Amino acid sequence: MNIRETREAWEAQYLSPYAALSSRTQGRDVPETLCDIRPEYQRDRDRILHCKAFRRLKHKTQVFLAPEGDHYRTRLTHTLEVAQIARTIARSLRLNEDLTEAIALGHDLGHTPFGHSGEFILNQICPDGFSHYKQSVRVVEVLEKNGKGLNLTKEVRDGIMNHRTSGNPSTLEGRVVRLSDKIAYINHDIDDAIRAKIFREEEIPECYTSVLGHSVRERLNTMIHDIILHSMDQPAILMSPGMEETMRELRLWLFEHVYQNDIPKAEEGKAQRMIVSLYQYYMEHVTELPEEYRQMMEQRGEKQERVVCDYIAGMSDSYAIDRFVELFVPKGWKI
């Protein structure tokens, strides 16, 4: 009995005509023998879940750098919340949940230590520039498995590359993740900001809460229901015009009141100077890079600047701090 074929037959019979069927994937760059249990997108989901870059997300900043508290989101908990929201929408619309989850779990693999402040400074100092969505694709295509990559399907890589606001995913599953990412961070960043006492729920302008809801739970419920209602049996992922506009305006309000607030940004300059110091050090001491990164230059012909950027981008917050302390902070002398 071939379980994969049974599952693929189920998809063909029960999923939406607009869903991306596992049996019709555009495939992988390196062809592989099909699994007898798992369809192709499920295999991709599993590969992402078990890769090193995914595990490092638990120690990477979402918004608040090194918060003193166990309940602030990290890049990993953000990723899991995106996956949960995206799967709820995909299941309701009879889209491919495996593809949706794979894209969601992989969409932020390329994020730097210290959140978007780390991404900003790497983009400034790296000659070829840096963006986390491109780096996420580079992680799964090149950096994982000692330079071999994960050999994911084209649909998953397309969804990861295009999850940003200006992206245009080729599948509806990718478009679900693109919206779910925004829904997740808008709501959990509000929750974290309230926890950090930046503002109170009652201080969120009524023009937003009257449309979206007066709590994280209400807002999630409202946004998700709106997408499902307007996307059902449609060849697109849609929100009602009023809902989409309100969500966009609330996001802009968060930029002013949270992302640019003095509390989460208090340590941002220090973090960025730390990244600059690490980058300069490894550019001058390339032999101190881990062997797998040196091999990328020697065997693949990758530029030193790119590889140093790869190494730093892959660091967790805590590892970057440890490396900085080891390299730049004097140690006490003992007999």
Side-chain angles (χ1 to χ4, degrees):
M1 177 181 178
N2 189 301
I3 297 174
R4 171 186 53 79
E5 291 179 354
T6 301
R7 180 64 186 180
E8 289 174 346
W10 181 92
E11 288 183 2
Q13 183 174 358
Y14 291 104
L15 291 187
S16 164
Y18 306 115
L21 301 183
S22 303
S23 59
R24 297 179 186 172
T25 174
Q26 296 181 47
R28 309 176 187 279
D29 288 349
V30 180
E32 298 180 14
T33 302
L34 296 175
C35 177
D36 63 337
I37 297 176
R38 298 168 299 165
E40 290 291 77
Y41 300 138
Q42 186 180 344
R43 295 176 79 186
D44 285 358
R45 187 275 313 272
D46 294 348
R47 290 179 185 187
I48 292 169
L49 191 64
H50 289 284
C51 77
K52 293 186 295 184
F54 184 80
R55 295 195 292 275
R56 290 196 298 268
L57 294 177
K58 66 181 177 179
H59 294 303
K60 291 195 176 189
T61 290
Q62 175 63 24
V63 172
F64 294 87
L65 274 66
E68 294 184 1
D70 293 335
H71 299 137
Y72 291 93
R73 270 68 171 193
T74 65
R75 191 62 59 178
L76 178 60
T77 56
H78 161 71
T79 294
L80 295 176
E81 291 183 33
V82 173
Q84 178 269 320
I85 293 169
R87 283 192 60 184
T88 297
I89 296 171
R91 180 177 295 185
S92 300
L93 298 178
R94 293 186 297 120
L95 299 177
N96 194 310
E97 283 188 62
D98 290 335
L99 174 57
T100 304
E101 188 173 22
I103 295 170
L105 293 178
H107 82 282
D108 270 356
L109 291 177
H111 248 298
T112 63
F114 312 115
H116 285 287
S117 61
E119 178 179 19
F120 174 83
I121 198 63
L122 274 184
N123 185 52
Q124 294 293 308
I125 61 179
C126 185
D128 294 330
F130 182 92
S131 56
H132 79 274
Y133 59 90
K134 291 180 181 179
Q135 189 70 11
S136 296
V137 175
R138 183 167 168 81
V139 166
V140 300
E141 288 186 342
V142 177
L143 300 181
E144 278 292 326
K145 297 184 68 174
N146 296 323
K148 297 178 182 178
L150 301 180
N151 196 31
L152 303 182
T153 58
K154 293 180 181 178
E155 291 83 358
V156 172
R157 287 178 287 152
D158 169 82
I160 292 173
M161 174 65 81
N162 287 288
H163 79 271
R164 65 198 186 280
T165 299
S166 60
N168 184 27
S170 64
T171 64
L172 293 192
E173 289 81 359
R175 296 175 196 178
V176 166
V177 173
R178 178 179 170 273
L179 265 180
S180 298
D181 182 32
K182 293 168 182 55
I183 292 173
Y185 73 65
I186 285 172
N187 283 286
H188 65 51
D189 291 350
I190 288 175
D191 192 36
D192 282 353
I194 291 172
R195 179 172 290 105
K197 295 181 171 53
I198 293 176
F199 56 76
R200 294 178 293 111
E201 172 68 38
E202 296 76 18
E203 295 176 313
I204 302 174
E206 177 68 18
C207 60
Y208 308 137
T209 57
S210 62
V211 176
L212 301 175
H214 294 83
S215 69
V216 170
R217 179 179 178 276
E218 287 184 11
R219 285 185 285 272
L220 284 171
N221 190 58
T222 299
M223 293 179 184
I224 291 169
H225 273 80
D226 185 84
I227 292 173
I228 293 170
L229 176 64
H230 290 86
S231 305
M232 187 69 70
D233 299 323
Q234 299 293 323
I237 303 302
L238 305 169
M239 294 185 82
S240 59
M243 188 71 62
E244 187 172 18
E245 177 64 22
T246 303
M247 186 179 77
R248 182 163 51 247
E249 291 178 357
L250 177 57
R251 179 172 175 266
L252 293 175
W253 185 85
L254 285 174
F255 269 95
E256 180 180 352
H257 291 82
V258 178
Y259 308 135
Q260 298 173 1
N261 184 278
D262 290 341
I263 295 176
K265 290 178 70 69
E267 302 298 306
E268 187 175 286
K270 296 177 185 177
Q272 291 180 336
R273 287 191 290 274
M274 187 185 310
I275 288 177
V276 171
S277 297
L278 290 171
Y279 180 86
Q280 293 172 341
Y281 181 86
Y282 285 109
M283 284 298 296
E284 297 170 4
H285 303 84
V286 67
T287 57
E288 295 186 30
L289 287 170
E291 182 181 359
E292 62 189 274
Y293 290 91
R294 299 198 305 271
Q295 287 179 350
M296 289 174 59
M297 292 183 286
E298 297 165 1
Q299 299 177 10
R300 296 175 56 92
E302 298 275 4
K303 293 191 294 186
Q304 181 177 335
E305 294 86 352
R306 182 78 261 165
V307 173
V308 170
C309 191
D310 289 336
Y311 180 48
I312 294 174
M315 293 179 177
S316 64
D317 295 15
S318 55
Y319 184 76
I321 293 171
D322 288 345
R323 293 308 303 147
F324 181 85
V325 170
E326 178 69 24
L327 295 172
F328 298 107
V329 178
K331 299 175 180 62
W333 182 79
K334 294 182 181 179
I335 297 177

